[in-house]
Amino acid sequence: MAKTGDRARPTAASALGSLDFALDRGSPVPLYHQLAQQLEAAIGHGLLAPGNRNLLGNEVDLSVRLGLSRPTVRQAIQSLVDKGLLVRRRGVGTQVVHSQVRRPLELSSLYDDLETAGQGPTTEVVRNEVVPAACDVAAALGVPEGSEVTVLDRLRRTHGRPVALLCNYLPLPLLDLDSARLESTGLYRMMRSAGITLHSARQTVGARAATAREASRLDEEEGAALLTMQRTAYDDTGRPVEYGTHIYRASLYTFDFQLLVRP
């Protein structure tokens, strides 16, 4: 696994210079794949940030530094081009495009997951108000239709890039949802601080095309692929405490599943 030093620098040359690669020449894993994995980890943790470029021009430096042939380094870089993490542009060189957020499918908050992964999450609270519960919201939260609930609309970014639009509904009264605090931490973290113990959730994952408004907010093209998630979370007494409808940029975001064979 790559050991990392300073955060992303302005150019790929200085950023690469801060990375300490560890290659196991006795491993059955090909050297190009080991290098590609460590470069991908550096991109994923923001050490090689979007805009870092001229990786191709540093093939010679990398090959000399690591004792690898240029074709081996070139193959590692090409594998990341094939994954969409790097792009080759005429007159510019090989440039870091983005790091994709890979989120485990478990009962956790997006903010906590991004922070743990070193993705530098920030939040913009677009809406924080009390509204009458629509039919689907009322059914999810187990409250009468038309009763008052809190609705939160938030735009979540990583390294300054918009990644997700989050819409959450919470029953009243549950906790004090201060917008300033919501912009500095995650909703689930606020729940835990208020003594709410999350226990389980029902969740549905899907996909659809972005509307013009969604595309504008997420810096995508209209019709771009979006991942969708609907989740109802319950506390340790079985009470519904949150209903969320979220959309994520498919170009930057994936869900990870672990599948087990039923005995």
Side-chain angles (χ1 to χ4, degrees):
M1 200 61 190
K3 295 179 181 178
T4 52
D6 297 335
R7 287 288 179 182
R9 308 282 183 85
T11 66
S14 58
L16 282 171
S18 72
L19 302 179
D20 185 14
F21 298 96
L23 302 176
D24 182 0
R25 287 170 168 77
S27 170
V29 179
L31 289 172
Y32 86 88
H33 187 65
Q34 293 183 45
L35 177 57
Q37 283 183 315
Q38 294 177 48
L39 286 171
E40 183 173 354
I43 294 171
H45 287 84
L47 300 168
L48 292 175
N52 280 162
R53 61 189 184 183
N54 202 24
L55 283 171
L56 187 60
N58 283 280
E59 281 183 8
V60 175
D61 292 341
L62 265 181
S63 62
V64 171
R65 176 182 166 192
L66 301 178
L68 298 174
S69 67
R70 285 191 65 186
T72 297
V73 174
R74 189 177 300 117
Q75 190 174 5
I77 291 174
Q78 182 60 47
S79 70
L80 299 187
V81 171
D82 294 340
K83 284 187 174 184
L85 297 175
L86 302 176
V87 64
R88 286 191 171 106
R89 294 194 172 109
R90 187 181 300 275
V92 175
T94 303
Q95 186 171 10
V96 178
V97 179
H98 64 256
S99 55
Q100 190 173 63
V101 177
R102 291 181 173 84
R103 186 179 181 189
L105 201 61
E106 58 188 35
L107 185 52
S108 60
S109 77
L110 176 60
Y111 188 94
D112 288 346
D113 290 340
L114 293 175
E115 189 174 65
T116 299
Q119 291 285 344
T122 59
T123 304
E124 175 189 346
V125 175
V126 180
R127 185 185 184 197
N128 179 2
E129 62 186 24
V130 175
V131 298
C135 180
D136 59 332
V137 174
L141 293 179
V143 300
E145 185 176 353
S147 61
E148 290 187 334
V149 295
T150 299
V151 59
L152 299 174
D153 285 331
R154 293 166 295 157
L155 176 63
R156 182 66 43 77
R157 296 183 176 90
T158 64
H159 302 300
R161 297 165 299 159
V163 172
L165 287 171
L166 314 173
C167 180
N168 296 82
Y169 297 88
L170 295 90
L172 288 177
L174 186 69
L175 73 160
D176 180 21
L177 292 170
D178 178 70
S179 292
R181 191 177 175 200
L182 281 164
E183 291 191 341
S184 63
T185 189
L187 176 60
Y188 281 9
R189 190 176 295 180
M190 288 178 65
M191 287 185 176
R192 291 192 296 269
S193 296
I196 299 168
T197 302
L198 295 170
H199 178 266
S200 61
R202 294 182 62 86
Q203 180 166 289
T204 302
V205 176
R208 62 174 173 80
T211 66
R213 182 177 180 276
E214 292 165 345
S216 176
R217 297 302 304 275
L218 291 172
D219 196 22
E220 285 281 7
E221 297 292 331
E222 183 177 355
L226 298 177
L227 291 172
T228 66
M229 184 186 75
Q230 291 184 332
R231 172 190 283 181
T232 304
Y234 304 86
D235 68 9
D236 54 355
T237 69
R239 173 184 57 159
V241 293
E242 175 252 344
Y243 171 61
T245 60
H246 302 171
I247 57 174
Y248 308 87
R249 298 175 67 179
S251 61
L252 296 179
Y253 193 93
T254 60
F255 287 107
D256 282 345
F257 295 81
Q258 182 179 17
L259 305 178
L260 302 175
V261 176
R262 181 175 295 177

